[in-house]
Amino acid sequence: MSERDLLMIPGPVEFDPEVLRALGAKTASHVAPEFISTFGRALKRLREVCLAPSAQPFVVAGSGTLAMELAVANLVEPGERALVVNTGYFSDRMATLFERYGAEVVQVRCAPGEVPDVAEVERVLAGGRFKVMTATHVDTSTGVLAPVEALVKAAGRHGVLSVVDGVCATAGETFHQEAWGADVYLTASQKALGVPPGLALLTVSPRALDAWRSRRTPVRSLYADFGEWLPIMEAYEAGRAAYFATPAVNLVCALEVSLGQILREGMEARFARHRRVAHAFRAAWRALGLRMLPVSESVAAHTLSALYYPEGVDAALLGRVREQGVVLAGGLHPQLKARYFRVGHMNVVGPGEVLATVGAVERALAAAGHRAEPGAAVAAVQAELLAAR
Ligand SMILES: *Cc1c(COP(=O)(O)O)cnc(C)c1O
């Protein structure tokens, strides 16, 4: 990959140079006063980004999967029941985690590209003494945006803790953690939060922390135990150093910069920009005759596009797009993997990235023999962007 190529996959994404400079700066001691205040600020900012003023933030070295594991390991005990609202690949992983931690798992599923039926979820919740329900905000394997507000509120009505996997959504898709009553919002650094891979992040409601405090059995994982991390997060936020395991110092510095940029843009403005970008991409896909994997635009995510290859075109298309300077991702859903590809559009995406990506896809499709009017997709993007101003 050339340094000038555009990385348009569903994470890692393109990062702001100021964030990358923070990452490349001289590493401070994890107990240095400047680092303590940087970490403390990052924690406060994470709370603001998740719109969760009373939540407890956790930032731990690891990937998004660790954030999922922290939620599961701390919130269920062996024999307790967990409901997984399953939209695809990462919901399967959530179910596997619950099983690994001894929970009894019930799943509400839907066909790939569809969203789960909230009424059915509500019926299952009513029938079942669940401790926790999980949903994937944006399913990265299908490009589907789940109705998380309705799901979280349904869980709340039944006294069930709600965990939302926001790895492909946080800071890109509208989410009001506290107003909606979500107990855990979990994410990773490398997607819409705009920081290279390596951090697992969670914001945990007081109710979820109480549930963890009233456990009868110890958390089975040491590294994932809230009990080890809570005093550390509290200390850094209070301006004191504390040690359990060495924080990813440079990543935390980069995170503090990125969260600052996100808050300067403003959450509602940032969500709206991701919607505008998604709508511009959708105009291009229509012009190119590409069908999206989500069954309708109303359930399609704004942080990535999942698109079927057109007739006569296969995964070799991605190599052709890369020759045009843009890196895209293949399919991920086990049932459909070979039939579709994905375009990530998170973090620092604007008109320039959209036009460059659409132009590259248009040229690659033409080279692959797919017929479309040259420039039609780019024109459709321009029309959409000009109309959205
Ligand atoms: C990327 C992703 C994950 C996994 O994150 P890793 O950092 O790869 O471990 C989990 N859930 C969703 C929805 C994702 O998009």
Side-chain angles (χ1 to χ4, degrees), residues 10 63-66 68 90 93 136 138 140 165 167-168 188 190-191:
S63 81
T65 303
L66 177 69
M68 297 164 75
F90 290 108
R93 178 169 295 180
T136 310
V138 165
T140 324
D165 173 352
V167 180
C168 200
Q190 75 272 23
K191 302 194 190 181

Side-chain angles (χ1 to χ4, degrees), residues 6-8 13-19 171 191-194 258 261-262 265 270 273-274 277 345-354:
L6 267 186
L7 184 56
M8 300 297 284
V13 302
E14 286 288 323
F15 301 118
D16 186 90
E18 201 191 328
V19 171
K191 302 194 190 181
L193 277 186
S258 189
Q261 291 177 346
I262 291 169
E265 180 175 13
R270 189 171 173 94
R273 176 169 58 81
H274 281 80
V277 161
H345 28 88
M346 283 171 257
N347 195 35
V348 288
V349 281
E353 288 77 16
V354 180

Side-chain angles (χ1 to χ4, degrees), residues 198-229:
L199 293 177
L201 309 96
L202 302 90
T203 39
V204 180
S205 74
R207 192 166 78 123
L209 280 184
D210 286 345
W212 161 73
R213 282 196 189 90
S214 47
R215 289 177 65 98
R216 285 159 287 120
T217 60
V219 172
R220 293 257 184 105
S221 158
L222 179 75
Y223 189 73
D225 190 346
F226 282 169
E228 301 296 345
W229 291 112

